[in-house]
Amino acid sequence: MNGRSLSRWAVPALTMVIALGPGVAYAGGGDTVGGGDVGGQQQSKGKVKGNNLSVETKVQTTVNGAPQSSAKTGTLTPANSNWDPPACWYEPAYTPKQIETTVKAIRSIPIFGIGEVVGTVFDSYYKDGHPYKNYNLDKQGKGKFWAAAIAKGHEDDPAAKACDKPPFWVDDGEPPKEKLAVSPKILAEYAYGELPIPGTEVKLAPKGETKVNLPTWAWLDKAKFKKISVTASLPGTGLSATTTAEPVSLKIDPGTGDAQTFPASGVCPIEGGRIGEPYAKGKANQDPPCGVKYLRSSDNGSYKLKATVTWKVSWTSTTGEGDTLPDGEFGADQNVVVKEVQSVNR
């Protein structure tokens, strides 16, 4: 019985397990390379999801060398609409003893005998020689079963279905013959989605309200827009990759066709580590290096000015590999009230 055969036979039962007992997890889950015995502190949880037995990833991330906090303003949207960070991959997960314990835990699910049915399917695969015998216990300490790991927030992403293989054996020191096996590049792409991007609300002068045909200056705090690096690593494997994003430009969309942008393209480059230029007294009638001039009032409402920063992204790794990744964008809207210039006839 191959992996696809296992999936075909297991689908109805596994779907019922999830439907009848959502959130079921097994204490006999796997750990990463170098982890302890079953029940050890490095043990992760295994789950039956759809037609697969997966694990919670052990990938860890740091931001600029420090542990990543939960505070994150935004996430980059790839400028290349045909590319996204990976939704899933395979990583070292179960020792032979742990896969045995996991299958036994599946059998113990007390839901109308479904656990026994699913356990029998997995035993056929891992115990009865189709293709593994006795859970590979004779290879304890010589390799791991690699399992699918789903990126956080992508559990219901259709792209996560690409990792549909049941846990498969890989000898220590042997590269897995699977294109979605965790690698420095996959870690770098995962880190792309973890980059904590600061907000893009620009500072405007005049502030709050501007006038028709009056140049409005726009700029961003240069202290806020610096390079950001996220390192993703998988403990016990020696695999690590660092993805770095650097802001390169700011695009201004006035929110109306009745406006003129500075520069005319609406794209403000970063110069001297700064996006745009802060307004200073005496510059009211000058054209700003970055900004907008509204040609019509917003009446009793406001225009939604959108500021989008483009970030150049690249990666390096512990193996010496590295490359560029698609540019990323992150933007936000802010309201701008535009009034007519009032004049008084005497």
Side-chain angles (χ1 to χ4, degrees):
M1 181 183 293
N2 58 30
R4 295 194 180 278
S5 297
L6 172 66
S7 297
R8 182 172 67 251
W9 283 102
V11 167
L14 296 180
T15 301
M16 289 182 69
V17 168
I18 295 303
L20 295 172
V24 173
Y26 311 109
D31 62 10
T32 56
V33 171
D37 294 330
V38 176
Q41 293 300 312
Q42 293 190 24
Q43 194 170 310
S44 61
K45 293 180 180 179
K47 292 184 178 180
V48 173
K49 181 174 176 61
N51 62 347
N52 201 2
L53 177 60
S54 63
V55 291
E56 293 181 359
T57 184
K58 285 286 190 176
V59 172
Q60 299 176 352
T61 58
T62 58
V63 178
N64 298 334
Q68 187 162 2
S69 68
S70 58
K72 184 165 68 170
T73 301
T75 302
L76 286 180
T77 298
N80 179 355
S81 60
N82 294 320
W83 185 91
D84 280 305
C88 69
W89 54 87
Y90 297 98
E91 64 182 60
Y94 299 97
T95 66
K97 289 181 180 179
Q98 289 167 342
I99 202 75
E100 178 187 29
T101 302
T102 298
V103 174
K104 288 181 178 178
I106 291 173
R107 283 187 177 278
S108 69
I109 298 175
I111 306 176
F112 304 118
I114 293 299
E116 190 68 27
V117 173
V118 178
T120 297
V121 173
F122 278 106
D123 265 343
S124 175
Y125 192 73
Y126 293 108
K127 180 183 178 183
D128 300 335
H130 307 289
Y132 303 108
K133 290 185 177 181
N134 199 27
Y135 313 105
N136 269 12
L137 289 173
D138 60 328
K139 292 189 175 183
Q140 181 72 22
K142 299 178 181 178
K144 287 287 179 71
F145 285 98
W146 288 45
I150 311 301
K152 186 177 180 180
H154 290 264
E155 292 80 4
D156 298 319
D157 188 339
K161 295 180 181 179
C163 300
D164 62 352
K165 292 183 178 180
F168 55 90
W169 181 260
V170 178
D171 287 323
D172 285 344
E174 293 292 328
K177 298 177 182 179
E178 166 55 54
K179 67 178 182 179
L180 289 178
V182 68
S183 65
K185 184 178 180 182
I186 284 180
L187 289 175
E189 292 173 342
Y190 173 74
Y192 185 109
E194 296 296 306
L195 288 162
I197 304 302
T200 57
E201 182 174 355
V202 295
K203 294 184 178 180
L204 300 174
K207 182 179 180 181
E209 181 181 302
T210 188
K211 305 295 184 182
V212 171
N213 292 321
L214 176 69
T216 299
W217 292 57
W219 69 96
L220 282 167
D221 183 354
K222 67 178 181 179
K224 193 175 182 181
F225 283 84
K226 297 181 178 180
K227 287 184 180 181
I228 301 171
S229 292
V230 169
T231 298
S233 57
L234 190 56
T237 66
L239 295 178
S240 178
T242 298
T243 298
T244 301
E246 179 180 5
V248 292
S249 63
L250 168 71
K251 182 176 182 180
I252 297 290
D253 180 347
T256 175
D258 294 316
Q260 176 184 354
T261 57
F262 303 96
S265 64
V267 178
C268 307
I270 292 182
E271 297 179 346
R274 181 173 59 194
I275 303 176
E277 181 180 324
Y279 174 77
K281 192 173 182 179
K283 295 182 177 181
N285 294 318
Q286 296 181 24
D287 289 340
C290 182
V292 60
K293 181 194 292 183
Y294 286 97
L295 308 178
R296 187 185 297 271
S297 77
S298 57
D299 295 325
N300 294 322
S302 61
Y303 294 121
K304 284 191 176 298
L305 180 147
K306 184 169 186 177
T308 303
V309 175
T310 296
W311 298 73
K312 180 175 64 177
V313 187
S314 60
W315 66 277
T316 58
S317 70
T318 49
T319 62
E321 297 175 77
D323 204 347
T324 59
L325 290 171
D327 287 351
E329 299 175 338
F330 183 67
D333 296 336
Q334 58 196 94
N335 294 324
V336 178
V337 176
V338 182
K339 298 291 187 181
E340 293 282 1
V341 176
Q342 300 296 318
S343 60
V344 178
N345 294 321
R346 295 182 183 276

